[in-house]
Amino acid sequence: EIVLTQSPATLSLSPGERATLSCRASQSVSSYLAWYQQKPGQAPRLLIYDASNRATGIPARFSGSGSGTDFTLTISSLEPEDFAVYYCQQRSNWPGTFGQGTKLEIK
Amino acid sequence: QVQLVQSGAEVKKPGASVKVSCKASGYTFTSYGISWVRQAPGQGLEWMGWISAYNGNTNYAQKLQGRVTMTTDTSTSTAYMELRSLRSDDTAVYYCARDGSERFLKDWFDPWGQGTLVTVSS
């Protein structure tokens, strides 16, 4: 099973700052990686798929990069509604696995 | 718009069964599959299994084999997840999500249902 390790576990930033979240795979997943956002009491929402493609309706301040084993989700300038938990998911090895999540909190 | 609407919260006793429904709209149901994911309180996401709405094929997480059954009703565009022999550690929010129609397709979970809280308590 491919293990995804997200870092940091918690990230404390202020609105307007840049956020950089990391997801590392235990073996190569090529570009078969997605990012999801989950706000309290809500279902996860697809943000980025195939490592770098924004899902429909996702603002341009969200971007994804990486391939192989190292991936990054970047939020260029944090808005108040961006504070949430972010999960990465790989599907190189079906059915896929999730990372443990990064909580992005307001500093 | 593409939407998945799940059934309401359930409270069950240990040893009982629960069946959660997930009604799809806004797309051709049989062109996709449905994955089920659960989230225990304060925890991460755990994939439970997948069903193809195209041909009914299923694939379950090994730890749930023998306790979980996933089905679909194509006449109503509804997917179901039944979990039996419930234990306290099955207490979680259960989500359905649209997935690929075949195993090994590298589709992504989009969209998700709103979630169904299942509480297992004596």
Side-chain angles (χ1 to χ4, degrees):
Chain A
E1 176 180 289
I2 297 176
V3 176
L4 298 180
T5 302
Q6 293 188 239
S7 62
T10 303
L11 183 59
S12 300
L13 294 171
S14 301
E17 290 193 293
R18 182 184 187 89
T20 303
L21 287 67
S22 174
C23 177
R24 177 164 290 178
S26 59
Q27 64 189 75
S28 176
V29 299
S30 185
S31 293
Y32 299 117
L33 189 110
W35 292 92
Y36 297 87
Q37 176 193 63
Q38 186 178 33
K39 298 179 182 179
Q42 295 186 19
R45 175 176 70 148
L46 179 66
L47 291 178
I48 301 288
Y49 65 93
D50 294 347
S52 61
N53 296 301
R54 276 190 303 278
T56 302
I58 302 303
R61 63 181 182 273
F62 291 92
S63 64
S65 63
S67 66
T69 60
D70 290 303
F71 300 85
T72 301
L73 174 68
T74 301
I75 310 172
S76 59
S77 179
L78 285 165
E79 297 288 340
E81 62 267 27
D82 298 337
F83 292 91
V85 178
Y86 293 83
Y87 293 95
C88 57
Q89 179 202 24
Q90 66 80 20
R91 275 213 129 174
S92 174
N93 185 1
W94 201 90
T97 49
F98 289 98
Q100 83 281 12
T102 289
K103 181 179 181 180
L104 178 57
E105 64 176 25
I106 299 177
K107 186 174 182 180
Chain B
Q1 76 281 22
V2 177
Q3 195 174 7
L4 299 174
V5 178
Q6 298 183 221
S7 50
E10 304 262 12
V11 179
K12 297 291 183 181
K13 294 192 182 302
S17 298
V18 69
K19 191 170 187 177
V20 179
S21 68
C22 170
K23 183 172 177 59
S25 62
Y27 71 96
T28 302
F29 184 65
T30 51
S31 294
Y32 293 85
I34 295 286
S35 268
W36 290 87
V37 176
R38 69 179 179 179
Q39 186 172 39
Q43 302 302 308
L45 303 170
E46 177 188 13
W47 179 82
M48 300 177 64
W50 161 89
I51 183 166
S52 170
Y54 173 67
N55 56 22
N57 287 347
T58 56
N59 186 264
Y60 303 135
Q62 192 166 5
K63 69 176 288 188
L64 296 174
Q65 288 274 3
R67 288 208 299 139
V68 68
T69 301
M70 296 175 186
T71 57
T72 60
D73 181 345
T74 57
S75 68
T76 60
S77 299
T78 303
Y80 299 91
M81 185 284 299
E82 181 180 34
L83 189 61
R84 299 176 294 278
S85 302
L86 288 168
R87 309 186 290 245
S88 58
D89 63 355
D90 291 318
T91 293
V93 176
Y94 288 74
Y95 296 103
C96 60
R98 191 177 70 170
D99 196 354
S101 61
E102 300 282 358
R103 271 186 75 178
F104 306 118
L105 284 180
K106 301 186 193 305
D107 284 7
W108 305 106
F109 295 174
D110 183 42
W112 296 56
Q114 83 277 19
T116 296
L117 175 62
V118 175
T119 303
V120 183
S121 174
S122 55

